[in-house]
Amino acid sequence: QVQLVESGGGLVQPGGSLTLSCVASGSIPSIFAMGWYRQVPGKQRELVAEIRGGGGTNYADSVEGRFTISRDIAKKTVYLQMDSLKPEDTAVYYCKRGPWWGQGTQVTVSS
């Protein structure tokens, strides 16, 4: 069983930055694909960013240029660096590996 634990969420002012972390444990390859998703109450969960096993990335149009996904293979950790945050980025952010999801971490962008 794979466990994913997100951390790093919190309250930040518009224009600020946060870095989210997701630590994977259990039966998981050293090199792994990972995705970050977010969900706002009343809306469907949406893809924010993905990093493929080979290291390639893709981003939602709404965050490209502001968010960066990266990973530390040795630590089995994926990161989401979020810069120039906007109120519309407010959501619960989840990491995903295959069929497994983390518990989510709240990001609130507000003055």
Side-chain angles (χ1 to χ4, degrees), residues 13-62:
Q13 293 184 342
S17 298
L18 283 174
T19 300
L20 307 182
S21 300
C22 177
V23 180
S25 63
S27 299
I28 187 170
S30 297
I31 301 175
F32 57 96
M34 182 67 71
W36 282 101
Y37 294 72
R38 66 187 181 188
Q39 188 168 25
V40 177
K43 295 185 178 181
Q44 292 185 312
R45 192 170 298 181
E46 65 176 358
L47 173 70
V48 176
E50 288 184 325
I51 184 164
R52 298 185 292 274
T57 59
N58 68 86
Y59 299 89
D61 289 344
S62 59

Side-chain angles (χ1 to χ4, degrees), residues 8-20 36-41 43-44 46-49 59-68 80-94 105-111:
L11 175 64
V12 64
Q13 293 184 342
S17 298
L18 283 174
T19 300
L20 307 182
W36 282 101
Y37 294 72
R38 66 187 181 188
Q39 188 168 25
V40 177
K43 295 185 178 181
Q44 292 185 312
E46 65 176 358
L47 173 70
V48 176
Y59 299 89
D61 289 344
S62 59
V63 307
E64 190 162 8
R66 299 188 297 118
F67 291 11
T68 303
L80 185 67
Q81 176 66 44
M82 304 184 294
D83 298 317
S84 301
L85 283 162
K86 304 175 181 179
E88 51 263 44
D89 295 318
T90 296
V92 177
Y93 284 72
Y94 300 87
T105 186
Q106 176 71 47
V107 173
T108 302
V109 185
S110 176
S111 299

